[in-house]
Amino acid sequence: MITITRKLEFDAGHRIPEHKSQCRNLHGHRYTIEITLKGEVIEQEGSSDNGMLMDFSDVKALANQHLVHVWDHAFLVYDKDVVVRDFLASLPDHKTVIINKIPTVENLARTAFDILKPVYQDRYGTGLRLHRILLHETPNCWAEVTEA
């Protein structure tokens, strides 16, 4: 088995409603997500992906389609944070993504993993699968979810 990792970035807002410090206020981050895939190298003469686990541009395109473009410049709101949900709903055409957990970096990393896992699963018949998500909330703070 071999792993490859692709890093992408997006901007999003959130709040941690019951947090004891400033994170209970509406604010945003420049998130960095690292997507690590695991599997066997493709060995198929004449294939564009020959010698690769997966083309990095394909990793990016799928991540953008299923997660990054969905979350980029959105407000990630906890479904039980009714005050903020109602406020955001009052803004015309506001990009809001409702999350079923408090949007801490830990929960967002787990949610990202759950969204992306089926996207990459066995795409080429080489045992390809999502191995790890590393989500940076800031350059110094992040959460990591690794396949069990």
Side-chain angles (χ1 to χ4, degrees), residues 109-125:
R110 168 51 68 194
T111 300
F113 191 96
D114 292 345
I115 290 168
L116 292 175
K117 183 176 180 178
V119 170
Y120 296 106
Q121 193 74 32
D122 277 330
R123 199 148 183 98
Y124 296 114

Side-chain angles (χ1 to χ4, degrees), residues 4-133:
I4 60 169
T5 301
R6 173 70 197 222
K7 183 176 8 176
L8 301 163
E9 296 179 339
F10 63 93
D11 299 294
H14 75 148
R15 86 174 190 127
I16 313 300
E18 299 170 352
H19 197 267
K20 63 185 174 189
S21 74
Q22 295 183 43
C23 290
R24 72 179 169 275
N25 299 314
L26 304 177
H27 65 285
H29 296 282
R30 176 74 173 172
Y31 289 94
T32 302
I33 186 167
E34 294 183 20
I35 301 161
T36 301
L37 303 175
K38 185 176 187 177
E40 298 294 338
V41 171
I42 296 166
E43 295 183 18
Q44 185 177 13
E45 291 296 324
S47 168
S48 173
D49 296 339
N50 191 28
M52 301 176 187
L53 188 66
M54 183 178 203
D55 188 298
F56 285 115
S57 66
D58 293 335
V59 177
K60 177 183 177 181
L62 289 167
N64 280 340
Q65 177 186 352
H66 294 277
L67 182 82
V68 174
H69 289 167
V70 177
W71 287 8
D72 189 36
H73 284 82
F75 196 88
L76 310 175
V77 63
Y78 180 38
D79 63 356
K80 294 182 182 173
D81 193 352
V82 178
V83 172
V84 172
R85 281 184 56 196
D86 289 349
F87 167 69
L88 295 172
S90 75
L91 301 174
D93 301 318
H94 189 272
K95 190 174 181 183
T96 302
V97 175
I98 297 174
I99 305 291
N100 65 359
K101 297 178 183 172
I102 295 171
T104 61
V105 70
E106 296 90 341
N107 286 335
L108 293 175
R110 168 51 68 194
T111 300
F113 191 96
D114 292 345
I115 290 168
L116 292 175
K117 183 176 180 178
V119 170
Y120 296 106
Q121 193 74 32
D122 277 330
R123 199 148 183 98
Y124 296 114
T126 58
L128 185 71
R129 64 184 180 273
L130 181 61
H131 176 65
R132 179 182 69 119
I133 290 290

